[in-house]
Amino acid sequence: DQQVKQNSPSLSVQEGRISILNCDYTNSMFDYFLWYKKYPAEGPTFLISISSIKDKNEDGRFTVFLNKSAKHLSLHIVPSQPGDSAVYFCAASVIKAGSNYKLTFGKGTLLTVNP
Amino acid sequence: GAGVSQSPRYKVAKRGQDVALRCDPISGHVSLFWYQQALGQGPEFLTYFQNEAQLDKSGLPSDRFFAERPEGSVSTLKIQRTQQEDSAVYLCASSLGVVGYGYTFGSGTRLTVV
């Protein structure tokens, strides 16, 4: 049973446009969310995170939005660059509970930014 | 070192063979994690160490999987009597603290069981 779902296996956008990657979760206990980026043959790299007490967090070209009532989060990349082409994983954690170290990942979305 | 180092990068094992995967975390990092990533899936939690103590091994798929971190730095994930379903990328990660705030992953070991 997938607790973190990324329903789009792939996304293709033009350079300079906005990329929107979506993530849904089913476990209402999740209170901390992260996005990781992964290039081929490398490990995932932390990108940005958001706590459930916020609905938006921004870092340069990357913004994460959280809609708790819908159990949905999204990552916006503006403007998209060819170097952003990678697999993006959404992950969630339960900070309040004792297992706050454990991340539950989605299956990932392959983003391709075309020049 | 500058990052989390894992070795070997690739391992091919015959079914039934034992394998050992090594992880060198970032120096001084207290927490160490192992994740398993099957083809087309996201990483799945296997086990967690805080220094030398294995605090959570709930994600280990079977008693054929064993992990250790005897001196609180280098860790080894051992898989006994490998089976085809063990084929995956095994990722190690470390962090300075204990919470899941963006820990640093290694490049992984790709295990193929034939």
Side-chain angles (χ1 to χ4, degrees), chain A residues 3-8 20-28 30 33 35 50-52 54-56 64-76 90:
Chain A
Q3 296 188 66
V4 176
K5 300 178 184 178
Q6 293 177 257
N7 292 320
S8 298
I20 300 176
L21 297 109
N22 294 304
C23 178
D24 297 291
Y25 60 96
T26 57
N27 187 344
S28 57
F30 288 142
F33 304 89
W35 285 94
I50 187 167
S51 163
S52 60
K54 295 185 174 182
D55 54 18
K56 177 182 174 182
V64 56
F65 295 92
L66 175 62
N67 182 334
K68 281 183 295 183
S69 60
K71 294 192 180 69
H72 176 83
L73 62 154
S74 60
L75 174 68
H76 293 211
C90 173

Side-chain angles (χ1 to χ4, degrees), chain A residues 43-91:
Chain A
T45 303
F46 171 71
L47 197 55
I48 192 169
S49 62
I50 187 167
S51 163
S52 60
I53 63 173
K54 295 185 174 182
D55 54 18
K56 177 182 174 182
N57 189 26
E58 194 170 349
D59 183 2
R61 296 186 297 113
F62 303 91
T63 303
V64 56
F65 295 92
L66 175 62
N67 182 334
K68 281 183 295 183
S69 60
K71 294 192 180 69
H72 176 83
L73 62 154
S74 60
L75 174 68
H76 293 211
I77 306 173
V78 183
S80 301
Q81 299 173 354
D84 296 330
S85 298
V87 176
Y88 288 78
F89 289 100
C90 173

Side-chain angles (χ1 to χ4, degrees), chain A residues 2 32 34 36 38 41-46 89 93 95 99-108, chain B residues 9-10 33 35 37 40-43 45 48 55-56 58 91 98-103 105-107:
Chain A
Q2 279 265 303
Y32 198 79
L34 307 92
Y36 278 82
K38 185 181 182 305
E42 293 185 13
T45 303
F46 171 71
F89 289 100
S93 179
I95 293 296
S99 61
N100 54 7
Y101 50 81
K102 188 184 298 187
L103 297 182
T104 301
F105 284 85
K107 290 186 179 183
Chain B
R9 287 296 309 273
Y10 304 93
F33 314 85
Y35 280 77
Q37 186 177 12
Q41 305 294 315
F45 172 82
Y48 161 55
L55 299 187
D56 187 341
S58 63
L91 294 163
V98 299
V99 295
Y101 297 139
Y103 28 80
F105 280 90
S107 297

Side-chain angles (χ1 to χ4, degrees), chain B residues 1-82:
Chain B
V4 178
S5 178
Q6 292 188 246
S7 60
R9 287 296 309 273
Y10 304 93
K11 175 70 179 177
V12 178
K14 291 186 177 179
R15 200 178 338 170
Q17 186 180 351
D18 296 350
V19 298
L21 313 179
R22 177 186 169 104
C23 173
D24 279 273
I26 293 172
S27 178
H29 276 197
V30 167
S31 300
L32 185 144
F33 314 85
W34 284 98
Y35 280 77
Q36 179 191 57
Q37 186 177 12
L39 191 63
Q41 305 294 315
E44 290 193 7
F45 172 82
L46 293 178
T47 188
Y48 161 55
F49 289 87
Q50 191 178 122
N51 295 307
E52 69 278 3
Q54 188 175 22
L55 299 187
D56 187 341
K57 53 182 181 179
S58 63
L60 296 176
S62 75
D63 58 8
R64 297 185 297 102
F65 286 71
F66 172 76
E68 60 183 6
R69 193 186 185 197
E71 296 176 359
S73 56
V74 171
S75 177
T76 304
L77 176 67
K78 297 179 179 177
I79 309 173
Q80 297 177 324
R81 304 181 305 282
T82 52

